[in-house]
């Protein structure tokens, strides 16, 4: 019997993204029909779906309370992926501090108020002359700033850009040359990886900021390190993306994306019947 699968998108970008179109083809092979529906659009569009998969809700950071409330309404026993409680816990970047407390290889990080003095004080306590500042809720590096301890104007601008509490974090300078690698896991199984590199003079790797991406072949050791980081997350996500800078001495964790990560199926080798997207389709069927 054909099943109705809703991919949650957003009003700003209501249609399927290219990577999700690949995934939709893989699901169609198994009789699962995909249709997009913005999370902040017509709520009736989600009624009666056999499963809801959160995919490109890429504006949720602008209204995090409304998005959290929407996720809570979905948490009524129907199949939603990833589980709403897991996604709510992943919304705030505080989760990174929780992972660090469990042993995740996070760069030196502190929670701060969006105030120049608070940023400078945290940097001083960590012995940093240069750092990265991130707001609590953010996507595609929104609100992110690179700051120096001895630049009051830059600290003030970064605090204003944050507009909410967040993190100050030691800069990982190797990101400029090595880039950031995204490790994709489907039902706990590593499927593929993509390395995103910033443009010259930048540390933000996202395409929106001029970054580029290419299929990567990380070492078995790097994959296992990424898998171990994912293992620190309570529960079993259907899909996850671990973003890290790969260094000779090991990974430096940037993010664990459990809500709406780009899964880069357009980069992954294989057909809708046998590739990484096919693994997603089979895993979803197993959970249904």
């Amino acid at each position: 019997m054909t099943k109705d699968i809703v991919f949650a998108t957003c009003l700003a970008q209501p249609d399927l993204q290219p990577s999700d179109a690949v995934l939709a083809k893989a699901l169609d092979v198994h009789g699962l029909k995909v249709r997009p529906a913005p999370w902040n659009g017509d709520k009736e569009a989600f009624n009666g779906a056999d499963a809801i998969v959160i995919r490109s809700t890429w504006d949720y950071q602008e209204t995090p309370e409304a998005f959290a409330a929407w996720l809570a309404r979905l948490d009524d026993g129907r199949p939603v992926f990833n589980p709403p409680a897991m996604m709510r816990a992943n919304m705030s970047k505080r989760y990174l501090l929780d992972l660090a407390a469990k042993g995740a290889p996070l760069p030196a990080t502190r929670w701060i108020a969006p105030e120049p003095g608070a940023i400078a004080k945290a940097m001083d306590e960590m012995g940093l002359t240069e750092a990265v500042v991130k707001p609590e809720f953010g996507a595609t590096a929104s609100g992110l700033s690179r700051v120096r301890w001895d630049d009051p104007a830059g600290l003030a601008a970064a605090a204003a850009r944050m507009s909410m509490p967040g993190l100050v974090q030691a800069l990982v300078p190797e990101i400029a040359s090595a880039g950031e690698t995204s490790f994709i896991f489907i039902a706990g199984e590593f499927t593929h990886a993509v390395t995103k590199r910033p443009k010259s003079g930048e540390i933000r790797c996202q395409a929106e900021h001029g970054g580029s991406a290419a299929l990567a072949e990380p070492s078995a050791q790097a994959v296992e390190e990424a898998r171990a980081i994912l293992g620190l997350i309570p529960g079993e996500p259907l899909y996850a993306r671990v973003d890290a800078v790969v260094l000779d001495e090991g990974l430096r964790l940037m993010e664990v994306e459990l809500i709406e990560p780009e899964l880069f199926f357009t980069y992954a080798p294989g057909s809708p019947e046998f590739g990484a997207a096919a693994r997603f389709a089979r895993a979803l069927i197993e959970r249904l």
Side-chain angles (χ1 to χ4, degrees), residues 4-117:
D4 176 36
I5 310 298
V6 175
F7 278 13
T9 62
C10 61
L11 284 174
Q13 301 182 68
D15 299 322
L16 294 180
Q17 297 298 312
S19 181
D20 291 331
V22 174
L23 179 54
K25 290 180 180 178
L27 290 166
D28 184 68
V29 170
H30 297 277
L32 280 68
K33 302 298 182 183
V34 171
R35 57 183 173 89
W39 76 271
N40 44 1
D42 181 9
K43 301 300 185 289
E44 299 296 319
F46 295 90
N47 293 343
D50 294 295
I52 299 169
V53 183
I54 312 304
R55 288 309 313 127
S56 53
T57 56
W58 290 343
D59 59 2
Y60 82 85
Q61 75 277 2
E62 298 171 6
T63 54
E65 291 183 358
F67 185 69
W70 179 74
L71 289 177
R73 288 194 294 273
L74 296 182
D75 202 2
D76 57 6
R78 67 179 124 178
V80 180
F81 304 98
N82 280 316
M86 178 183 289
M87 289 188 285
R88 289 200 303 275
N90 191 238
M91 285 178 60
S92 168
K93 286 185 170 41
R94 281 185 180 272
Y95 81 87
L96 287 168
L97 296 174
D98 295 336
L99 290 181
K102 295 178 181 179
L106 193 70
T109 303
R110 294 286 178 88
W111 187 258
I112 52 163
E115 301 166 356

Side-chain angles (χ1 to χ4, degrees), residues 89-231:
N90 191 238
M91 285 178 60
S92 168
K93 286 185 170 41
R94 281 185 180 272
Y95 81 87
L96 287 168
L97 296 174
D98 295 336
L99 290 181
K102 295 178 181 179
L106 193 70
T109 303
R110 294 286 178 88
W111 187 258
I112 52 163
E115 301 166 356
I119 299 172
K121 181 175 184 292
M123 291 178 67
D124 188 50
E125 291 173 347
M126 291 187 288
L128 303 177
T129 58
E130 195 168 16
V132 173
V133 176
K134 306 174 182 179
E136 178 177 8
F137 302 104
T140 64
S142 59
L144 181 146
S145 299
R146 182 174 179 174
V147 296
R148 290 191 58 85
W149 180 84
D150 58 357
D151 178 13
L155 293 173
R161 197 173 295 119
M162 286 177 70
S163 75
M164 66 182 73
L167 302 176
V168 59
Q169 191 170 71
L171 175 70
V172 181
E174 292 87 351
I175 197 170
S177 56
E180 177 182 280
T181 297
S182 292
F183 299 80
I184 313 300
F185 292 87
I186 304 300
E189 176 184 320
F190 172 73
T191 57
H192 60 294
V194 167
T195 295
K196 302 165 291 182
R197 288 186 168 81
K199 69 179 182 181
S200 179
E202 261 283 3
I203 60 169
R204 295 175 295 181
C205 299
Q206 294 80 4
E208 293 87 344
H209 303 293
S212 60
L215 189 66
E217 295 185 5
S219 68
Q221 176 65 29
V223 171
E224 288 310 307
E225 289 182 35
R227 193 192 310 277
I229 292 169
L230 185 58

Side-chain angles (χ1 to χ4, degrees), residues 243-280:
D243 291 344
V245 181
V246 181
L247 305 176
D248 291 341
E249 61 270 28
L251 303 188
R252 289 296 177 271
L253 176 64
M254 297 289 106
E255 297 273 2
V256 177
E257 300 277 5
L258 302 174
I259 303 174
E260 32 63 275
E262 165 65 69
L263 296 174
F264 296 107
F265 288 131
T266 53
Y267 291 78
S271 66
E273 294 86 354
F274 302 106
R279 171 59 186 148
F280 189 114

